[in-house]
Amino acid sequence: MPGKVQSYPSASVVTKSQPGASSLYPVYVVLLLIICCAESVAFSLYNKYLFSGPLRAPILVTATHQVCCFLGAFTVWQLSPPSFYTRKKITSGKMWTKILLIPIAFVANIGLNNLSLKFTTLALNQLIRSFSPVAIAITSYAIEGKTQSTAKALTLALLVAGVVMGVLTSPDFEMIGILICSASVLGQAMGIVMTALVMGGAKVSLHVFDVLLYATLPSILALIPMAGGLGEFSVLEKAIEEHGAGTILGLILAGGTLAFTYNLFCTIFIKLTSSVYYGVTGGFRCSISIAMSFYFFPQKVTALSVTGIVIAMVAFIANSFFTMRERLQTNKQKPGLEVTAARIAEKERLLADSDA
C-alpha cells in the first residue's frame, strides 16, 4: 500500500527482471517468511507471558507498542529510499476522518485481544481468534453484500463447529476472557470493513508505514485513559517495585521491538512477493501458537477440545488457501485489479494480525 500505486512492487508476480532472477531469491523469500511467522508466534507467546506474570497491564503495554511502531515508522520514513517507502500526504479532511477510524478498530481489535490474554489461556485466545474469517464474512455480507464461494462457505461452517467444540469443551473455559476475546474478533471484522473505505478506494492508498505514522498516536490517546481506568498505572508501579525499573523497561522495549520489526519484515516479504501469499500462513501461525502454548504454559485439554482445535485449524488453513486461490485467479483474469487486490490483502493482514 505505498503512497504511489505505480511504485507498488508487491502487486505483481516477480519476473526475471526483478529480484527473482537471483538464485538466492527463493532463499531470501523463505527466510523472510520464517522470520515473519516466527515473530508472530513469538509475540503471542511473549504477550501471554508478560500479561500473566511480570506486567499484568496489557492495555498500557499495547500503548507502548504503538509508541515503538510510530518511532520505527518515522525512522523508516526519514532514512529509507523512495523505492521502499514514500509517505502519503493526506490533504483531505474527509480522508483524515476515515483514517481516524483505524485507531478505533485497533483498540477494539488488538487492545481487547491483549486484554483477554490476562484472563484466558493462549490456546483458547488463538482458537477464538481463528474465528475471524467467519466474523469478516458475516460483516462483509451485512455491509457490502459480499458472498462466499461454496468451498469457502464449507470451510467457514467447519471453522464454526471446530471453534465452538474446542471452546465449550475446554477445561480452561473462562467467561470473562472469552467474551473479551470474542469482542476483539468483532472489532477486527468491523475494522477491516471500515478500513476498506480508506485503503480500498481510488482516492488514496496507504502503506503499512502510513498507517503506523498516522494512526498510532490517536491509538495511544485512546489506550492511555483506558489503561488508567483499569488501574494499570498502579500495576506498573508495583511491577517496578517488585522487578526493578530496568527489567520492566527491558520487557516493554522487547515487546515494542517485536511489534515494529514484525511489520517491517512483513512489508519486505510482501514487496518481494505478494501479500496474497502471506495471507495463507494465518492458519499455520495460529496452529503453531496453540501447539507451543501447551509447551510453555500450564493448560488443560480434553479429547473433545483437541478434536475441536484440529477441525478449526484445518478449516482455517483451507479457508486461507481458497482465499489465496480466488485472489490469484482474479489477478490473472483482471490484471488491472492486481494493485487493488494486493492493497486489500495487505490491509487485511495488518488488521487481522494480533501481534502489534
Side-chain angles (χ1 to χ4, degrees), residues 10 49 67 86 132 136 147 156 160 174-175 183 216 227 252-253 259 266 276 279 286 290 309 321 326 333 337 339 347:
S10 67
Y49 156 75
V67 172
T86 300
S132 59
I136 293 170
T147 58
L156 293 177
V160 171
E174 201 282 329
M175 184 58 72
T216 48
I252 290 174
L253 290 178
C266 285
V276 175
C286 188
I290 291 176
I309 291 173
F321 170 78
E326 286 181 0
Q333 295 170 0
L337 297 179
V339 171
K347 169 259 298 182

Side-chain angles (χ1 to χ4, degrees), residues 54-190:
L55 186 53
R56 298 172 62 85
I59 300 300
L60 182 58
V61 171
T62 303
T64 66
H65 292 171
Q66 290 290 278
V67 172
C68 292
C69 285
F70 173 80
L71 294 176
F74 183 84
T75 302
V76 170
W77 171 37
Q78 295 297 313
L79 301 180
S80 67
S83 60
F84 182 76
Y85 170 61
T86 300
R87 183 178 66 89
K88 176 68 180 182
K89 295 182 179 179
I90 307 299
T91 57
S92 167
K94 291 183 179 180
M95 284 313 307
W96 274 114
T97 301
K98 292 178 179 180
I99 287 174
L100 290 178
L101 293 174
I102 299 176
I104 298 174
F106 177 86
V107 172
N109 176 18
I110 308 299
L112 291 180
N113 175 69
N114 286 344
L115 180 61
S116 73
L117 289 172
K118 182 177 177 180
F119 300 99
T120 191
T121 65
L122 180 58
L124 283 180
N125 168 274
Q126 291 293 296
L127 182 60
I128 295 170
R129 294 286 294 181
S130 72
F131 193 77
S132 59
V134 179
I136 293 170
I138 294 174
T139 307
S140 298
Y141 176 77
I143 297 178
E144 301 176 303
K146 181 179 179 181
T147 58
Q148 304 294 317
S149 65
T150 302
K152 289 182 67 176
L154 289 175
T155 62
L156 293 177
L158 285 174
L159 183 55
V160 171
V163 171
V164 171
M165 179 185 296
V167 171
L168 294 183
T169 61
S170 172
D172 293 322
F173 182 91
E174 201 282 329
M175 184 58 72
I176 295 178
I178 288 173
L179 288 177
I180 295 174
C181 189
S182 299
S184 77
V185 174
L186 179 60
Q188 172 191 344
M190 292 300 297

Side-chain angles (χ1 to χ4, degrees), residues 1 65-77 85 87 96 99 102-103 106 110 199 206-220 256 258-267 346 349-351 355-356:
M1 294 173 289
H65 292 171
Q66 290 290 278
V67 172
C68 292
C69 285
F70 173 80
L71 294 176
F74 183 84
T75 302
V76 170
W77 171 37
Y85 170 61
R87 183 178 66 89
W96 274 114
I99 287 174
I102 299 176
F106 177 86
I110 308 299
M199 298 186 187
L206 295 183
H207 190 281
V208 62
F209 290 131
D210 289 325
V211 175
L212 295 180
L213 283 173
Y214 292 131
T216 48
L217 294 182
S219 295
I220 294 168
L258 277 171
F260 174 71
T261 56
Y262 173 71
N263 282 292
L264 177 62
F265 285 125
C266 285
T267 299
E346 186 177 4
R349 192 274 304 169
L350 174 68
L351 287 175
D355 310 304

